[in-house]
Amino acid sequence: MDLIGFNKRIKKDSVSGYEKFAYGCGEISTNIVFTIATSLLVMFYTDVVHVSAVTIGLIIAISQVFNGISDIMAGFIVDGTRSKYGRARVWMLRMSIPYAVAAVLLMTVPQVGEFAQAIYIFITYNLMLTVVYTMFQLPFATTMTYMTRNQDERAKINIIRMAMSPIGNILVTLLFTRILNAMPNGGMESQKNWVVLTAIYATAAAAMMLFCFANVRERVVVKDEMAGEKIPLRKSVPALFKNKYFIMLFLYFVFFAMYQTFSGTMASYYCKWIVGDTNIIGNVNTACYGITIIATLLLGKFMHLTSKRNWCILGSIFIIGGSLILLVAPGNVAVVTVGGLLRGIGMTPILGMIFTMIADTIEYGQWKTGLRTAGAIQSATTSGQKFGQGIGSALIGFIMQANQYDGNLAVQTDQALGTISNLFIYGVSILGGLMILILVFYRLDKEYPKIMKELLEREEKVQLKKEG
């Protein structure tokens, strides 16, 4: 069977525009709390609750190790799940309410000693991101691999998903601090205001995921060597390490997550201390993520011009350019906003292609090992994202603490200010370069047609054998 025949065979797996939109709403849902956690939570801990930056960095670094491990465990749980709602989709229903509750608990840090606060932060941070968010986001992402195996349909689903993805970020970065500042009784400095506003955002996020659950469907019937049975760990774990492209994307996600953490976290500090206006955070992030809505839709028209790998490399070049342009006028609002625009353009092809590339590695893994471990591969690559976030947050905390940053001070030292600038400009640029380096060795785009043809022929044989 050739690929044309395959696409005809799975034409029935086409996904309606409404279902694609519903899936995009799930992406908005996952991004709301993720953005709060990566862009605002560290500043909340240091400037509102007044816990030291090094303590927060250490907590997040340790937590992200557990978080990465929990991703892998969650992948095996998804691969082993059987329900009337499918393998992955059912977890959207199960975790929506816990997701909202755990998000609010992040902000309810008690006003006690710093050691007791650190324990509370460690527990609630891990409850939210290690347990609840993992079993919320990972099954959601895996659901796409079960909606269809048609490459064109997957690409369209992911384009719409990524076009809607920035909405969650914008809802937080553009409006969150502005709403806080407009709230009575302390504005942004009031912990109560943070709790109330987070509760509103988290409730809306849970509702959107429930809408996604109600309107998406799983269609893919697994036809690997296990014939749809649960894959034991003694088989699935070795299968992961035989998949070289999974390993590459795991490392890529580590550095991409570090970039997102450096860019998101340091943007808050940069706007507050270098530009001198916390409201500019919204402008910068809206420029960065808002442009991706339009650019992602345009990407769907031009994605055929080159490979997914090349699009991601081009995106990294724009990210580097958007960071280095700040050297022209570090405190100028217009320049900082243009930098955000360039980084947003750079993120467009990366976000538009990377999740489809993960789906490709799932097919490669089945071709290489005979086992389809969609949940395990999805979880392991996103565990790289969690490791990257942890490493990035820890580095930020340790570096800023070592360079005299103190969230209790009204004025920071020149050394602290210089560190904020360097992390936001050079730190982000270095990470962009490392992302390019990994993709130099990625060849699956060229190999995929041949691999898919062989895989489909094998599946036909398995099906004929089963029927005979």
Side-chain angles (χ1 to χ4, degrees):
M1 178 186 294
D2 58 20
L3 289 180
I4 295 176
F6 169 68
N7 284 329
K8 289 181 178 178
R9 189 185 78 183
I10 62 172
K11 188 175 181 180
K12 63 181 180 180
D13 287 348
S14 62
V15 181
S16 70
Y18 183 77
E19 186 173 346
K20 291 168 185 161
F21 169 77
Y23 191 70
C25 288
E27 177 70 15
I28 296 173
S29 173
T30 64
N31 268 348
I32 286 177
V33 171
F34 177 80
T35 303
I36 292 173
T38 57
S39 296
L40 299 173
L41 189 59
V42 172
M43 189 170 69
F44 166 77
Y45 286 146
T46 59
D47 292 17
V48 178
V49 184
H50 301 297
V51 179
S52 71
V54 69
T55 298
I56 296 303
L58 184 61
I59 288 172
I60 294 177
I62 295 172
S63 299
Q64 294 298 66
V65 173
F66 295 118
N67 206 348
I69 294 172
S70 74
D71 263 17
I72 297 174
M73 294 175 62
F76 294 128
I77 291 173
V78 171
D79 283 337
T81 298
R82 303 292 184 273
S83 77
K84 66 179 182 179
Y85 299 121
R87 296 187 177 192
R89 173 175 164 253
V90 64
W91 290 99
M92 301 180 195
L93 175 64
R94 293 173 178 175
M95 301 308 296
S96 289
I97 302 304
Y99 175 67
V101 173
V104 175
L105 291 177
L106 287 174
M107 303 299 174
T108 56
V109 181
Q111 297 298 322
V112 291
E114 185 166 338
F115 180 73
Q117 286 181 320
I119 293 175
Y120 182 89
I121 291 170
F122 180 83
I123 293 173
T124 54
Y125 187 89
N126 279 280
L127 174 65
M128 177 68 244
L129 293 171
T130 302
V131 180
V132 176
Y133 186 76
T134 295
M135 288 307 303
F136 183 76
Q137 192 275 338
L138 188 139
F140 163 76
T142 306
T143 297
M144 185 180 75
T145 69
Y146 287 106
M147 290 170 70
T148 179
R149 292 181 77 179
N150 185 309
Q151 274 192 301
D152 291 338
E153 284 296 290
R154 277 183 180 170
K156 292 173 184 177
I157 292 169
N158 198 58
I159 288 293
I160 293 176
R161 173 190 176 187
M162 290 299 104
M164 296 176 68
S165 180
I167 296 174
N169 185 286
I170 292 171
L171 288 172
V172 174
T173 56
L174 180 63
L175 300 177
F176 201 95
T177 57
R178 283 180 166 86
I179 295 173
L180 281 175
N181 286 326
M183 294 175 74
N185 302 320
M188 191 171 178
E189 303 302 319
S190 168
Q191 183 180 355
K192 180 180 178 181
N193 289 345
W194 282 79
V195 172
V196 171
L197 191 54
T198 299
I200 295 171
Y201 271 78
T203 301
M208 279 188 281
M209 186 57 81
L210 290 172
F211 173 76
C212 175
F213 162 79
N215 291 283
V216 302
R217 296 291 180 269
E218 292 187 13
R219 297 173 181 81
V220 173
V221 178
V222 176
K223 297 179 181 178
D224 61 9
E225 291 182 2
M226 297 301 294
E229 297 298 321
K230 296 182 180 181
I231 303 173
L233 290 177
R234 61 183 174 82
K235 289 190 175 184
S236 58
V237 172
L240 289 178
F241 290 97
K242 292 178 182 178
N243 190 331
K244 63 182 179 181
Y245 292 117
F246 147 71
I247 295 173
M248 290 181 194
L249 290 187
F250 173 86
L251 293 174
Y252 185 86
F253 262 79
V254 170
F255 292 118
F256 182 57
M258 288 181 68
Y259 155 72
Q260 288 182 303
T261 301
F262 267 64
S263 181
T265 299
M266 295 315 303
S268 301
Y269 289 104
Y270 192 90
C271 292
K272 180 176 181 178
W273 296 107
I274 306 302
V275 180
D277 186 354
T278 56
N279 287 331
I280 299 302
I281 299 171
N283 295 353
V284 173
N285 280 285
T286 298
C288 179
Y289 290 94
I291 191 66
T292 64
I293 298 175
I294 299 172
T296 301
L297 294 174
L298 290 175
L299 178 64
K301 302 291 185 182
F302 299 101
M303 59 185 294
H304 64 281
L305 295 179
T306 188
S307 67
K308 293 187 285 291
R309 183 201 74 158
N310 291 343
W311 277 115
C312 289
I313 289 175
L314 180 63
S316 296
I317 292 172
F318 270 89
I319 284 173
I320 294 171
S323 302
L324 295 180
I325 197 174
L326 298 181
L327 295 173
V328 175
N332 185 278
V333 174
V335 172
V336 174
T337 302
V338 170
L341 283 169
L342 291 175
R343 288 194 299 275
I345 293 172
M347 285 183 63
T348 297
I350 294 174
L351 293 174
M353 300 296 174
I354 192 63
F355 295 102
T356 305
M357 291 166 73
I358 292 173
D360 291 347
T361 66
I362 292 170
E363 308 297 351
Y364 173 84
Q366 185 179 344
W367 171 81
K368 183 75 174 179
T369 66
L371 301 175
R372 186 178 181 84
T373 53
I377 288 177
Q378 183 72 53
S379 66
T381 48
T382 55
S383 72
Q385 186 178 30
K386 303 292 180 63
F387 285 132
Q389 291 168 11
I391 295 169
S393 295
L395 284 174
I396 289 171
F398 284 121
I399 293 172
M400 291 182 66
Q401 186 80 7
N403 286 277
Q404 302 177 3
Y405 179 82
D406 186 344
N408 294 311
L409 299 178
V411 178
Q412 299 296 329
T413 65
D414 289 341
Q415 183 175 347
L417 295 176
T419 299
I420 291 171
S421 292
N422 290 334
L423 289 175
F424 191 54
I425 297 173
Y426 296 112
V428 168
S429 299
I430 291 171
L431 291 169
L434 291 172
M435 289 156 60
I436 292 174
L437 180 62
I438 291 173
L439 291 179
V440 168
F441 301 97
Y442 186 89
R443 298 283 188 271
L444 184 55
D445 289 337
K446 293 182 178 180
E447 299 170 1
Y448 190 85
K450 179 181 177 181
I451 289 171
M452 200 64 197
K453 182 176 182 296
E454 293 180 10
L455 178 59
L456 294 169
E457 290 172 348
R458 289 183 203 169
E459 288 195 350
E460 287 292 327
K461 293 178 181 179
V462 170
Q463 185 67 20
L464 290 173
K465 184 177 180 181
K466 181 179 178 181
E467 292 174 353

